[in-house]
Amino acid sequence: MGQGEAPMDAPSVAQELNGAGLRGVKLSCRNVWKLFGANADRKFDAADLTNLTAAELGARGQMAAVRDVTIDVREGEIFVLMGLSGSGKSTLLRCLSRLIEPSAGAVMFEGQNLLDANPAQLIDIRRHKMGMVFQHFALLPHLTVIDNVAFPLSLQKVGKSERQRRAREVLELVGLKGKELSFPRQLSGGQQQRVGIARSLAANPELWFLDEPFSALDPLIRREMQAELQRLQSVLKKTIVFVTHDFDEAIRLADRIAIMKDGAVVQLGTPEDLVLNPATDYVAEFTGDVDRAKVVSAARIMRPRSGGAVAGEVNARDKIVDIAPRVIGAGQAFVVRDGSRVVGEITPQSVLDILLERGTRR
Amino acid sequence: MSTDAATAPLERRSPWPLIWLGFLVAVVAIWLLRDPLIWLVKYPDKLEINLAKWIGIAAKWLVAHIQFLTRGLAAVLDMPLDTAIAVLAKGILAPNDAVIVPRVSWLGVIGAMTLTGYAYGGLRTAATVFLCFTYIAFFGQWNGAMLTLASVIVCVPIAVALGLGFGILAFRHPRLATWVVQPSLDLMQTMPSFAYLVPVLLLFGSGPVPALVATVIFASPPMVRATVLALRSVPEEVMDFGKMAGCSPQQKTWRIMIPSSRALLMVGVNQVIMMTLNMVIIASMIGAGGLGYDVLLALRQGDIGRGAVAGLAIVAIAISLDRISQAAAEHQARPFKSGDTFAHRHPYLIAGIGWLAVTTLISLFVPEFSDVPKSLTLTLGDSLNEIVKWININFFDLIEAIRTWLLLNVMNPVKQGLLMAPWIAILGGLVLAGYQLGGRRLALLVALLVAFILIAGQWEKAMISVYLCAISAVIAALIGIPIGAWASRSDWGNRVATIAVDTLQTLPTFVYLIPVVMLFRVGDVTAMIAIVSFAVTPAIRYTAHGLRNVSPQVVEAARAMGSTPRQILWRVQVPLALPEIMLGINQVILLSLSMLVITALVGTRDLGQEVYIALTKADPGRGIVAGLCVAFLGIVLDRLAAAGAKRARERLGLLDINAQH
Ligand SMILES: Nc1ncnc2c1ncn2[C@@H]1O[C@H](COP(=O)(O)OP(=O)(O)O)[C@@H](O)[C@H]1O
Ligand SMILES: [Mg+2]
């Protein structure tokens, strides 16, 4: 089933509701490739690589860890890179932050090609505009919690009292007040990752990279940290690129998700897009087990106002699972509202379809 | 590169038994035809090149042209060394020998060292350090020990800084590491320590500073290795963090990589300290004073008791510094509170300096604080000499019988065999083994290195070295492997063995000579026993470790099948631990070679003796050639053993336990 077969014109409305179309692009990449193996350090022309299959690259002693990826990350959104282990998520993230040089393509950050930045500019951009959180925390074992958090500031020669003040501030933000003088080894995994998060926020970056930040944590703690991240984001409104191999986590956090396989993006869309219209069987494998009522919003299944009787109102962003009792209980259509505007109506039948996983399934 | 010989599928019938049989036939044929083919048996003199002469000429030229540099360097090094000696040993004296500034009080030093031990390692370390320094004080070794300590204090930071610098360089430029740094390290570590002395003597003359230079050169290679290892161990994520936080390359090295790999770096520092102390006696041959000189002098005068007491003082320093630096490596700093004063943060430092200052101040008025009072010192040397005399009188026949038996039945036959064997057979056998174990590259390396020894005209001496080394290594393995096996059987045994092995390894090589010379006098048997006792430790350690590391499931499975403990050991554990045991034997061989040169002092006639003679005659060409020969022998044996262990490991499908081999 193709991507374009969504029912009605709902997706565009939903996208608009996401605010996605309204915001500027913060970070984007165009036809980015990363080859490992022979000549891995060379620059290639993306056009020359496009037609090469994995087998042909293999014959040249190369392997494409990232294959012709083009994405836009918009200001203030949580953009999730999802894929199985080895699918090239980390490599793509490292290309986006230019921790490694892409073999081909361009990475645009705030309208400037990051790949053209010289070392001094790059250091400057990273110090002031980017933060990164790592799977295994990457804390410095010889420093106390507060010194770890203040470390990026100390690189910038921020004065001692100022950086201590700032470090305390972010530590409090992540709920680690009182642990300032501990060493990382004395903290639990969840606490250590909170330090990692605080550290990446110390310099108040605009762009925030998180590479599987919760994968090393126990499931319960992971849930807690996801909620924490959502809370932080509601306050901080960063532009976030978040890597995970856990589709549930992706759905919970993402504004948009790019699903990766063998280095390429196989589908890019909102959680609703992916769940309702998986582009390939591969994507469907992930979405199959998802409870769609928790993902799909009212705007997604509404139809234009028919003028018939209605039993009440729902918000366009409400998830089906939350409104289903009311709509089905009333047995009548509901008006869908976005702010002050009426954008359509939903029927008990369409809500039931979602609950029973009918109709829109592959 | 082709390693087809090494990687041929195992199912195919190996051609090697046939090849070796052919080789054997050829050797016998040469032996039978030895009269017409004498040039294949005894290497013709005409084909030798007087390398020693040419190197000697080149060295003289070099010396003449860079002496201004070496003089300058010596002058620079003289300052810290003089200062350290003044502080610890001599004080500052007026021309008429009146004390202007006193040296630190011996009570102060004992207290400060003990406190350092306590700060890093707690009560146990403190007690060890206290006992060691008390021994030094009360057995009349204080002055010598402080001279030695002064040179250690200057040498260790320089060697650590050098090692760190080269290590960082090698880490940043991997190609430099593989083609320059790694081979030089291999060469430097297999080159006998004596060989360093000759060029240093030539460039710097003799005295405390040249001794310091030789020691620094000898002690820095392990730090280079440790640094590269430590920097490579920094997790990739942490490196990425450094980049993302916006570190400049300098900040990344000094603020991220070095501090976060501190524990591994401290292992390197510990090794530098141990190597420095190892060199104490040897360096005294070119003018280092202190305990090393005391030992050397006592040995030369035949006063073995006095030598032993001074040697034990070196051991005491070695054990103290070893424990302190190991504890420091594991020590984890306490966090400071923001309001803490300097005194709050460094209580031991303040207390130590305070104690030193107070005792030294008192020593101005109370002479007992300045020098250890004569009435308190004990003499051990004479009683030791008495004991040795008593043993020698009462057990002379027995010891002599052992000595003669060993010489006649073990040592001499092997020696004669090696000396009479055709050189072509030994060269061919080694090259063939190289090809079988490691392919064309290893065969070529072996051929070149062995050919160097032939061409340099050192064949006979090299064979004597091989003979001593081989016998010692075999005996060390025969003793060490069973001990290791025994130690692996129980936790208790393992603990005892670990402590024994650790202690043996802190002893400077030279110290091993003393008791053996006491009992067996000079000669090959003495050398052999000294080598065995020095080289036995890795056999014990690797065997115990290898056996203990055999997967418990495999052992369990064997037990479930009804194997007896004996069967489990021989059928399961030993074969699986074999690769690691072989690495242990490899280490045994290398240690034997390094000890070999030291035993030259007890009158062997091998390459070691050649180096020693070159040293006494200050003949750089001769010393360097002989030193290179020892190093090349070591490299050949090391590479062959390592390749063999690797093959065994692959055959057993075991993980590569030691990536550098
Ligand atoms: N430095 C490297 N050299 C060679 N191959 C690499 C390197 N880094 C990653 N790869 C390969 O690229 C692919 C993608 O890796 P990665 O981006 O780490 O995947 P993910 O983060 O999705 O698990 C993997 O097959 C991996 O083996
Ligand atoms: Mg990854």
Side-chain angles (χ1 to χ4, degrees), chain B residues 167-210:
Chain B
I168 292 173
L169 204 68
F171 176 79
R172 288 207 186 147
H173 307 280
R175 210 167 296 167
L176 194 70
T178 22
W179 293 107
V180 181
V181 177
Q182 200 65 37
S184 336
L185 287 184
D186 284 351
L187 192 66
M188 285 174 85
Q189 291 200 317
T190 30
M191 191 100 158
S193 35
F194 275 129
Y196 291 111
L197 299 185
V198 188
V200 170
L201 190 63
L202 202 73
L203 287 170
F204 293 87
S206 81
V209 171

Side-chain angles (χ1 to χ4, degrees), chain B residues 77-78 80-81 150-152 154-156 158 200 207-218 283 286 288:
Chain B
L77 286 176
D78 207 23
L81 191 60
S151 69
V152 170
V154 178
C155 172
V156 169
I158 299 178
V200 170
V209 171
L212 181 72
V213 172
T215 309
V216 165
I217 298 175
F218 180 68
I286 59 168

Side-chain angles (χ1 to χ4, degrees), chain B residues 46-58:
Chain B
K46 268 175 288 180
L47 294 181
E48 285 171 5
I49 300 172
N50 197 343
L51 285 172
K53 194 172 123 200
W54 294 112
I55 294 181
I57 292 172

Side-chain angles (χ1 to χ4, degrees), chain B residues 330-342:
Chain B
E330 285 157 24
H331 182 74
Q332 302 188 318
R334 255 172 352 109
F336 306 128
K337 293 202 195 58
S338 46
D340 281 356
T341 58
F342 186 80

Side-chain angles (χ1 to χ4, degrees), chain A residues 94 97 99 123 126-127 130 132 134-138 140-142 144 151 154-155 157 181 183 185 199, chain B residues 236-238 240-249 251 255-256 259-260 332-338 345:
Chain A
R94 288 158 59 84
S97 52
L99 281 172
I123 285 181
R126 286 174 174 159
R127 282 186 179 178
M130 292 179 176
M132 193 162 196
F134 300 87
Q135 180 171 3
H136 300 106
F137 323 136
L140 299 179
H142 62 289
T144 55
F151 185 85
S154 77
L155 292 178
K157 312 257 186 309
L181 293 178
F183 281 97
R185 59 175 182 274
R199 181 179 67 180
Chain B
E236 201 187 352
E237 278 194 347
V238 174
D240 279 354
F241 159 70
K243 280 199 207 167
M244 285 308 289
C247 285
S248 64
Q251 288 176 324
R255 303 205 43 194
I256 301 231
S260 65
Q332 302 188 318
R334 255 172 352 109
F336 306 128
K337 293 202 195 58
S338 46
R345 295 182 184 195

